[in-house]
Amino acid sequence: MKTAFLHHAESASGTAIALYLLQRGIRVAASFQTPEQAEQFTAELPPPLQEQCQTIVAPDVQMKAVEPVIAGIAEQMQGLDLYIHGHDWVDELEALQHDPAEFALKSYSLLSELFLYSRAAGSVMARKQRGQIIVPMLADSLHYDGFPSSPVYNQGALAFVKSFAKELSPFRVSVNALTFGYFRREKQAAAGRSNRKPFDIYALKPPVPELEELAHGLGLLLDYGHGMSGQNTTWGYGIQSVL
């Protein structure tokens, strides 16, 4: 695993994933929504990691715009081994109650974006007959503990992962989802042991990891992901995986 393209690196999970990939020595092309986000991310990286990372501003969500970007990145990095479709976790229930029509349009847009970017990356990987596509998500059950929950996006993404995995399996390209469990949020950082109590439903006195620690769960797929495709693995203490 030498090169990776990470979409939506501006999200909290995207930033954690980008840092983990860079620390593993992987060359990363990271896309952001605005130039300011890209500049801030690069400025905060240690100098050795800056040389491994290049940033771009995400193009419009259209196939004619996305395909040249992915192909160009792959050419610059002399290959594309990994594509990760990051996503800014939002509370769909709140969005639905606020404006149902806007919620429907937004859900359609997010799933279309997943389809277009993954298809463009899969096309590049299929020609080389190797590669991985990973879709990170957040466990829906955490909604009861105040975390944002996106069941519509998650179920749509899982359906896409299973379908696309079958399409790319003849080309030795794996497609999997990685669902993150609970993690320590900033507003809970100073709460001490009390922030652990809500998660007793998942495990007895469970540890509450940092988001950066959860990002290390990608190593499971990076190291062994070629042995499975079309699967969803939950990475977190006490939360059941669904395969």
Side-chain angles (χ1 to χ4, degrees), residues 53-67:
C53 182
Q54 67 179 96
T55 60
I56 67 168
V57 177
D60 295 333
V61 185
Q62 300 179 14
M63 183 60 76
K64 63 181 180 181
V66 172
E67 281 189 332

Side-chain angles (χ1 to χ4, degrees), residues 27-69:
R27 294 178 59 196
V28 176
S31 75
F32 295 82
Q33 293 298 300
T34 67
E36 293 75 17
Q37 292 170 338
E39 292 173 3
Q40 181 180 357
F41 176 79
T42 303
E44 293 175 354
L45 285 177
L49 297 184
Q50 290 181 3
E51 299 177 0
Q52 292 175 227
C53 182
Q54 67 179 96
T55 60
I56 67 168
V57 177
D60 295 333
V61 185
Q62 300 179 14
M63 183 60 76
K64 63 181 180 181
V66 172
E67 281 189 332
V69 169

Side-chain angles (χ1 to χ4, degrees), residues 1-5 26-27 74 77-84 121 124-125 128 130-134 172-174 222 226:
M1 193 67 64
K2 298 179 180 178
T3 60
F5 183 89
I26 297 174
R27 294 178 59 196
M77 296 195 299
Q78 298 181 342
L80 182 61
D81 301 315
L82 173 68
Y83 172 69
I84 299 180
V124 172
M125 295 174 182
K128 298 292 185 179
R130 69 173 185 271
Q132 286 196 62
I133 296 174
I134 301 175
R172 301 171 65 88
V173 177
S174 62
L222 297 185
H226 287 292

Side-chain angles (χ1 to χ4, degrees), residues 137-151 154-155 179-183 185 198-199 201-203 232 234-242:
M137 301 185 302
L138 183 66
D140 286 332
S141 62
L142 297 177
H143 172 72
Y144 299 103
D145 293 316
F147 282 74
S149 179
S150 305
N154 284 357
Q155 291 303 312
T179 301
F180 286 175
Y182 54 82
F183 56 90
R185 290 174 290 177
F199 308 116
I201 188 174
Y202 302 105
N232 174 32
T234 298
W235 189 258
Y237 297 100
I239 297 180
Q240 182 180 3
S241 266
V242 180

Side-chain angles (χ1 to χ4, degrees), residues 6 13 23 28 58 60 66 72 75 80 85 91 113 119 127 139 141 143 154 164-165 175 187 222 227 235:
L6 171 63
S13 58
Q23 290 166 359
V28 176
D60 295 333
V66 172
E75 183 176 357
L80 182 61
H85 188 88
D91 191 338
E113 186 178 46
R119 178 179 173 182
R127 288 195 289 270
S141 62
H143 172 72
N154 284 357
F164 203 39
V175 186
K187 64 180 181 180
L222 297 185
W235 189 258

